[in-house]
Amino acid sequence: MIFITWFLAGKTAALCFNITPRGRFLRSRLARLAIVLSPLFFSTWVAITRIEDYVGCSLNRLFARLITFQSAIIEKM
């Protein structure tokens, strides 16, 4: 999403404050900034909702720790 943000910033000239792009809607700096930052806000929202939706049982966490510990021991051998 950072690539898309930089791509949109280049296309809309959102970070170039001395350039006024063509088009009626894109003359507003706030509109250009909103267009550029929308992918970052969307990806942050998706990440937060994924974390909040994941509610693991205590047994799931216990077995995940055991598997991780066992994998670390096998890797060190």
Side-chain angles (χ1 to χ4, degrees), residues 54-67:
Y54 178 74
V55 179
C57 178
S58 59
L59 281 176
N60 289 345
R61 290 186 294 228
L62 175 67
F63 284 118
R65 288 179 189 150
L66 288 174
I67 291 171

Side-chain angles (χ1 to χ4, degrees), residues 4-55:
I4 293 173
T5 300
W6 283 114
F7 177 77
L8 290 174
K11 288 293 184 183
T12 61
L15 301 177
C16 299
F17 297 112
N18 56 357
I19 296 174
T20 304
R22 297 178 189 168
R24 189 171 154 222
F25 179 71
L26 290 179
R27 287 188 185 172
S28 168
R29 287 186 184 163
L30 183 61
R32 287 186 285 169
L33 194 63
I35 289 171
V36 168
L37 292 179
S38 62
L40 288 179
F41 286 133
F42 179 70
S43 62
T44 304
W45 174 72
V46 167
I48 289 172
T49 56
R50 296 284 181 203
I51 290 172
E52 287 180 354
D53 288 342
Y54 178 74
V55 179

Side-chain angles (χ1 to χ4, degrees), residues 61-75:
R61 290 186 294 228
L62 175 67
F63 284 118
R65 288 179 189 150
L66 288 174
I67 291 171
T68 305
F69 182 69
Q70 192 175 29
S71 299
I73 289 175
I74 291 172
E75 183 180 311

